[in-house]
Structures are given as structure tokens and as C-alpha cells.
Amino acid sequence: MDFAALGMDGSTLVIWLSVVLVAGLAAGILAGLLGVGGGIIIVPVLYQLFTTMNIDPDVRMHVAVATSLSTIIVTSLSSVRSHHKRGAVDFPLLRSWAPSVFVGVVLGTILAGFLKGWVLTAIFATVALIVALRMVFRREGNAVFNDFPNQPVKIGLGGVVGLISTMMGIGGGTLSVPFLTFFGYDMRRAVGTAAAMGFVIAVPGTIGYIILGWGEPNLPPLSLGYVNVLCTALLIPCTVIAAPWGARIAHAIPQRALQLCFAFFLFITSAKMIWDLIQLLS
């Protein structure tokens, strides 16, 4: 990559690389701790980095989202391995939910190039805030359901998780963990299963973004479609190293503390999205 052509001197390059590596470590810890893919950190960081590199505004977010999904492929496997050792991955649920999630991913990838980003952001921020409030004020052991009430609800929610996650560049835990705990699943089991769901989302999502971005002009150097290979190569080792740290933390703290931790994570996510919307629409 010709960084000089992008207006980046040696000190700027060092800062750029440091930010990417720190973002990778933070994303890995979140992946293991909360069952998310880490995209909620990676996407905004990459977007800002691409802005400093003067990458075309029309492709910045697409590249950030696609690159985030590509890292989640490996991060989710590392996280799942750690959770599976502790018996926290519900494979029957994973097998039954994966087809509808996959369909949602395909639809989300297709729609990504057509819908206005701020509309999805507003919906996601609202849902995240509602879910966070519910997790904070919910009484221990007071699940609304003991399981999904019927198959259509299960299929529909799986599609929603796949659709929105793919368009946001996240691993699905941000939505699937609250859904699973709402329907009576243990928090740790929900986190472990959500980590596995990240793989189901990331693989077809990454392939879709590569196809959609193939031949697109003004992409950053070393891009495969919308996936920036250099950033992926820098981020993956960090996320893989850090994901088991997060998984160990998740199984070392009380379940209620884990719920509050996830609620705090959703509050921060929602607040950041709402602030960005205010700036965009003002």
C-alpha cells in the first residue's frame, strides 16, 4: 500500500497501525465476553481511519462493514472454542436457527447498497436502547418465555438478526443475546451460542460484499471487493488472541454482572448511534 500517496508520513502510519491493533484487541475481548463479533468497535474505527486516508466517502462505510465481517469469521471461531470448553454453546439451537439467519444475511447483503444508512442506524439505536433498559430492570429469573413460542417467531427473529447484523458489520450477538435471554436462555449460554452465530453471519456476508464490491472504483489499496485485506490481516491476530480473554471473564463473573455489562455495552452503542444521527440530520 502506497501510504505516501495517501498523505501519510511515518509518524501518522505508526499511529494508524497502533489504532488498528488496539481496536483488534478490544474487539476480541468483546467477542469473548459478550458473544458479539467486535464489529461495533471495528466498523467506526475503520471508518475514521479511511476518512483520514481520504478514501472515497461513497465506499468508506461499505469497506468498513465488509472488513469487519471478514475478521469476525476467525474471531467467532476463537470465541466459540473457548465457550464450548465450558459447555456454553447450544448446538441444537444453532442448527435450527442458522438457516433463517443465513437467509437474513443474504437479504441484508443485497439491500446494503440500496437503503439509506441513517434509517437502519435509527432503528438499531432504538432497539439497542430498549433492550438495554429491559436487561437493567429485569428481575433475575423472570424470563418472559421459557423458549421460543413457535417456529415462525424463531424463524422471523433469526432473519432479523442476520439482516441487520450484515448491514451493520457486526457478528449478531448485539441482537441475538437479548432475544435469547428474552426467551429464557441462560445468559452465558446465549453469549456462547451468539458467538457461534457470528460465523454463520460473517462467512456469507463477507463473500457477498466481495462480490458486490468487485470492480468498484476508488477502493483502498489491497482490497478484495469491499474487503480490505491489509486491515483484515492486522485485525485478525489481535482478535484471536483477545477473544479467549473475554470468554474467561464471562465465566468468572456473576451472571447478573454479565447482564449489566452487556446492557452498558448496548447503552454506549445506542448513544453513539443517536449522536451520529443528530450530527447527520442537523
Side-chain angles (χ1 to χ4, degrees):
M1 179 180 286
D2 187 358
F3 288 96
L6 296 172
M8 298 177 68
D9 56 21
S11 60
T12 303
L13 176 59
V14 171
I15 295 173
W16 188 89
L17 292 173
S18 300
V19 170
V20 172
L21 295 176
V22 170
L25 290 172
I29 291 173
L30 274 180
L33 178 62
L34 304 176
V36 300
I40 203 68
I41 289 179
I42 291 175
V43 170
V45 167
L46 290 183
Y47 182 82
Q48 293 303 321
L49 287 175
F50 293 148
T51 300
T52 64
M53 294 168 64
N54 298 315
I55 302 301
D56 188 344
D58 291 336
V59 301
R60 284 176 195 166
M61 184 56 74
H62 287 80
V63 177
V65 167
T67 303
S68 172
L69 286 174
S70 71
T71 67
I72 291 170
I73 294 175
V74 181
T75 304
S76 61
L77 290 177
S78 177
S79 180
V80 168
R81 182 181 178 186
S82 297
H83 284 291
H84 180 52
K85 289 179 179 178
R86 297 167 173 83
V89 180
D90 190 329
F91 285 103
L93 170 63
L94 184 64
R95 285 191 293 268
S96 65
W97 218 19
S100 60
V101 172
F102 176 81
V103 171
V105 170
V106 173
L107 292 176
T109 305
I110 294 173
L111 289 174
F114 299 97
L115 293 181
K116 292 182 180 294
W118 72 265
V119 176
L120 263 183
T121 302
I123 294 172
F124 188 84
T126 302
V127 172
L129 183 60
I130 293 172
V131 169
L133 287 171
R134 181 188 170 275
M135 295 192 103
V136 168
F137 294 107
R138 172 189 170 190
R139 295 182 188 178
E140 189 69 23
N142 189 27
V144 177
F145 296 97
N146 291 324
D147 199 349
F148 290 98
N150 52 58
Q151 197 66 13
V153 169
K154 189 176 188 178
I155 292 173
L157 290 178
V160 168
V161 169
L163 177 75
I164 296 181
S165 298
T166 303
M167 299 182 79
M168 302 294 287
I170 58 179
T174 305
L175 291 174
S176 60
V177 169
F179 282 155
L180 292 175
T181 56
F182 182 79
F183 289 105
Y185 284 83
D186 173 80
M187 182 64 181
R188 292 190 181 91
R189 203 164 184 78
V191 167
T193 306
M197 199 63 65
F199 183 80
V200 177
I201 292 170
V203 171
T206 299
I207 294 172
Y209 277 110
I210 290 174
I211 295 172
L212 285 175
W214 199 265
E216 183 73 28
N218 304 319
L219 291 171
L222 296 179
S223 291
L224 186 63
Y226 283 125
V227 176
N228 186 257
V229 178
L230 175 62
C231 288
T232 299
L234 290 171
L235 287 164
I236 283 179
C238 296
T239 57
V240 170
I241 290 171
W245 302 346
R248 284 196 292 269
I249 295 172
H251 289 269
I253 63 178
Q255 182 167 315
R256 180 56 179 165
L258 185 57
Q259 288 178 330
L260 293 176
C261 183
F262 194 85
F264 177 74
F265 163 71
L266 290 179
F267 273 128
I268 297 299
T269 301
S270 179
K272 177 64 169 60
M273 289 180 174
I274 292 172
W275 176 248
D276 288 346
L277 283 172
I278 292 173
Q279 291 184 313
L280 177 66
L281 300 176
S282 61

